Amino acid sequence: MNNYPQALTIAGSDSGGGAGIQADLKTFQERRVFGTSVITAITAQNTRGVHDILNVPLATIHSQLEAVADDFQIRAVKTGMLANVEVMEQVVAHLQHAQFGPLVVDPVMIAKGGASLLASSAMDALKTQLIPLATVITPNLPEAQWIVGSPLTTKAEIEEAAKKIQQLGAKNVIIKGGHRLDVSDATDFLRLENGDSEWLSKPRVATNRTHGTGCTYSAVITAELAKGKSVSEAVRLAKDFIHQTISSQIDVGHGHGPVNHWAYREEA
């Protein structure tokens, strides 16, 4: 019964359905992985922005973690929105002894609409407590810049930043380059635990239908790791998957719209 691949997402709820827990579970399903969840925060959110955030009580987060651990054979786990230092420390404490398999850290800091999703007091905890546990960390360019404390404008600077993030304890680092608007392709840099590295590129798509890209990207990696794929295999598939979800647009909402989670399946 428990041989079916199972994964866990620990993140915030997006009432608009495009990011967070909702995006993760949609992605797990598309990759034929059974998804479980621990909700850390409830957001009142749509394609136009984040309107309210309610942090889930620490006791309830703990209960969710215990319930999942007690009944499911989790083979990979990802973290998304961990809004404050107390939540982050609660999750870290559990991950340190849980048998959840590889950990994918999506260091969620700012929503697409500009709202902060991570308290400033949690920034240091991210660097000193969560990142050292990461099998894979998936910062976008602004997040990577904050982590290393310097601007990243060239390939050489991005490659050096990946090394610095590894020095914080993360085994494998993927820095997503979608924010580099000065180049024609959306190019990501992957540095593996053994020192190997590669650049992954896809043509940039002119669209504002990109809400949930970071959550979806990291969820694909998590799902593939749960199925036993290598990190490099998981990241390459995630790059293909996210490109297809952005390319095959759906007209939902009136603002910064979501990606199309079923697009990769239809293309395949």
Side-chain angles (χ1 to χ4, degrees):
M1 179 179 66
N2 283 322
N3 286 332
Y4 196 85
Q6 299 156 53
L8 167 64
T9 170
I10 305 171
S13 169
D14 172 4
S15 57
I21 289 286
Q22 286 81 354
D24 293 342
L25 293 178
K26 290 175 185 178
T27 304
F28 290 167
Q29 188 75 9
E30 288 296 321
R31 298 310 306 149
R32 299 184 67 83
V33 169
F34 182 81
T36 63
S37 64
V38 169
I39 298 176
T40 60
I42 300 170
T43 70
Q45 185 175 174
N46 54 29
T47 64
R48 289 171 168 159
V50 179
H51 305 286
D52 194 12
I53 298 175
L54 174 67
N55 290 321
V56 172
L58 294 178
T60 305
I61 294 174
H62 176 78
S63 296
Q64 292 177 84
L65 287 163
E66 290 293 322
V68 171
D70 182 60
D71 193 37
F72 298 94
Q73 188 176 322
I74 302 301
R75 297 185 183 175
V77 56
K78 65 157 286 189
T79 59
M81 179 184 176
L82 305 177
N84 57 48
V85 67
E86 292 82 12
V87 170
M88 193 168 295
E89 289 178 345
Q90 169 91 295
V91 170
V92 165
H94 196 94
L95 291 176
Q96 285 173 332
H97 71 263
Q99 301 298 314
F100 283 161
L103 169 63
V104 178
V105 173
D106 180 14
V108 176
M109 296 181 182
I110 300 174
K112 275 291 187 296
S116 176
L117 298 177
L118 182 64
S120 57
S121 60
M123 297 291 195
D124 286 340
L126 173 69
K127 292 175 68 171
T128 61
Q129 298 186 49
L130 187 60
I131 290 178
L133 301 180
T135 305
V136 185
I137 186 170
T138 65
N140 59 31
L141 208 57
E143 290 162 347
Q145 288 178 158
W146 180 87
I147 292 170
V148 300
S150 61
L152 305 177
T153 57
T154 67
K155 280 192 169 183
E157 289 171 342
I158 292 171
E159 291 175 358
E160 184 61 27
K163 292 181 184 178
K164 290 180 179 179
I165 295 173
Q166 278 187 326
Q167 290 168 3
L168 293 174
K171 293 181 176 65
N172 304 275
V173 181
I174 176 79
I175 297 179
K176 299 170 294 185
H179 287 77
R180 288 189 69 197
L181 301 180
D182 58 320
V183 294
S184 58
D185 290 344
T187 303
D188 307 334
F189 179 68
L190 170 64
R191 182 174 174 84
L192 296 170
E193 183 177 11
N194 64 6
D196 290 346
S197 63
E198 62 179 304
W199 288 89
L200 304 169
S201 294
K202 290 289 184 182
R204 186 180 300 278
V205 179
T207 179
N208 71 342
R209 303 282 156 179
T210 58
H211 181 55
T213 52
C215 303
T216 302
Y217 197 127
S218 57
V220 175
I221 296 171
T222 307
E224 297 309 306
L225 292 178
K227 292 188 286 187
K229 298 289 182 66
S230 69
V231 170
S232 58
E233 289 173 322
V235 171
R236 290 191 196 102
L237 195 146
K239 184 65 173 176
D240 291 341
F241 187 100
I242 202 64
H243 176 71
Q244 196 60 42
T245 66
I246 295 172
S247 299
S248 301
Q249 300 175 36
I250 52 174
D251 187 15
V252 174
H254 297 84
H256 204 119
V259 299
N260 179 0
H261 284 93
W262 62 77
Y264 186 86
R265 166 167 44 97
E266 289 193 340
E267 181 66 17

